Amino acid sequence: MVEPATASLAAAPAMPQLKDELDIVIPTIRNLDFLEMWRPFFQPYHLIIVQDGDPSKTIKVPPGFDYELYNRNDINKILGPKASCISFKDSACRCFGYMVSKKKYIFTIDDDCFVAKDPSGKAVNALEQHIKNMLSPSTPFFFNTLYDPFREGADFVRGYPFSLREGVPTAVSHGLWLNIPDYDAPTQLVKPLERNTRFVDAVLTIPKGTLFPMCGMNLAFDRDLIGPAMYFGLMGDGQPIGRYDDMWAGWCIKVICDHLGLGVKTGLPYIYHSKASNPFVNLRKEYKGIFWQEEIIPFFQQVLLPKDCTTVQKCYIELAKQVKEKLSKVDPYFDKLADAMVTWIKAWDELNPPRGGSSMPNGKAA
C-alpha cells in the first residue's frame, strides 16, 4: 500500500533553488493544513493562494509561510470587467495566480496532494525535481530511448543526431501521482478501488506533434516562456463543462511550444494524491467534454500557426481565432471560450507590461 511521507521524513535543501524566482500557486476552498507536510520544501518560497467560492469565508494558512491570498472580490477589483475570463467555483481559478505573479517560474499544486515517498522510503521533494526538469533542456525533435539524457547517469544513446543534442528550453514540467490516479469519471466508476502504486523513475520529453492530457495538480512551468498560454479556460459556475481546464491549457501550450521550439517534460516528480473525487459529480461535469474531446483533439492535431506568430501572445490570439472558426460548430460554448481567451491575453498584458513597466496588483499579503 502506498502511503504519504510524514513531515518528519522531509529534509529541505540547505540552499533552496530559485528561491526568489519561483511562486507556488494553490487554488483552494478550505484551510491549508496540508502545507504542514510540505513545510520543509515550501516554506522558503512565496505562495499565491487563490481562494475559490465564498469570498467572505476565512481561509487559514499555517504560520510561517510568506503568501498573498486573493478571493473573488480581489479578482473582480484587479481585473474589472475582464474578471469574466476567470472561472468561479472551479480550480481553474488558479490561473489568476499565474497572471499576478512576478516570478519567472510557477509551481502549482492542489490542496489534497501530499508528499510522496520513493521506493526507498525517502520523501520526494517534488519542487526540487520540477526545478531540475525546467533548468535542463528538452529533446522534442528526436526521442531518446534512455529518456531524459540530461539526468544523472543517462546520456544520448547511439544513433542520436549530434546536431540535436543541445536540446531546447524546457517550458513545462508535468508531474505524476501515487495513490489516486487522475482518471475520468467513467474509468473511476469501473475501477473504484484502483490505486497507482508504481513509481517509475523516469522523465521524458513529449515529442513534437504529440498531444497529452495535462493535469494541473502537480505542474511547473517557465512563466516567461509560456505563461500567457497557461489559461485554464471557462469552467465551473455558469459553464456547461468542468474538469477540462488543465487539459485545455495543456493542448494549447503543447501546440504553441511545438511552434516556438520549446519543450514539455513529463514523469517525475510524484506527489501523493490523497482524495478521490466523487465519480458521479465528475460525470456530470465531464459528460459533454467526453463527447466534445473527439472533435477537440483532431482540431489541435491539425492546428497550424503562421510564421509571424513569434510570441506566445500572438500564438494564443491566433489559436483563439481558430477555436472560434472551427469549434463553435461543436457548441456555442467555444465561441464564448474563444472570446475569453482573447480577454485573458488582454488582462495578462495589462498586469505584465514589458520589462521596465510597472503594474502590481494589490492582493492580501501575509
Side-chain angles (χ1 to χ4, degrees), residues 248 292 295-297 299-300 322-335 337:
W248 179 263
W292 291 349
E295 298 190 59
I296 295 172
I297 298 298
F299 162 76
F300 279 103
Q322 295 190 32
V323 167
K324 183 179 282 286
E325 290 175 353
K326 299 178 182 179
L327 289 181
S328 291
K329 63 180 176 60
V330 176
D331 192 273
Y333 164 77
F334 290 98
D335 193 66
L337 176 57

Side-chain angles (χ1 to χ4, degrees), residues 167-229:
V168 301
T170 299
V172 179
S173 172
H174 177 256
L176 299 175
W177 345 269
L178 293 175
N179 196 40
I180 306 294
D182 186 31
Y183 284 161
D184 54 37
T187 307
Q188 282 184 293
L189 287 167
V190 298
K191 294 183 174 182
L193 301 180
E194 183 155 296
R195 299 293 182 264
N196 181 36
T197 60
R198 295 187 307 151
F199 187 103
V200 180
D201 186 13
V203 178
L204 61 152
T205 298
I206 301 174
K208 181 179 180 180
T210 300
L211 297 174
F212 74 112
M214 188 173 82
C215 173
M217 75 172 84
N218 175 23
L219 179 72
F221 61 93
D222 186 319
R223 192 172 170 276
D224 288 352
L225 290 180
I226 200 63

Side-chain angles (χ1 to χ4, degrees), residues 15-54:
M15 293 290 291
Q17 284 186 289
L18 305 180
K19 178 181 178 295
D20 299 319
E21 300 178 67
L22 183 145
D23 279 335
I24 300 173
V25 174
I26 305 168
T28 193
I29 58 171
R30 58 182 63 87
N31 294 335
L32 294 180
D33 299 327
F34 92 113
L35 284 174
E36 286 296 350
M37 173 172 279
W38 288 102
R39 184 182 293 276
F41 303 137
F42 288 2
Q43 191 164 358
Y45 297 88
H46 180 70
L47 312 181
I48 297 178
I49 300 163
V50 184
Q51 178 181 343
D52 196 18
D54 183 1

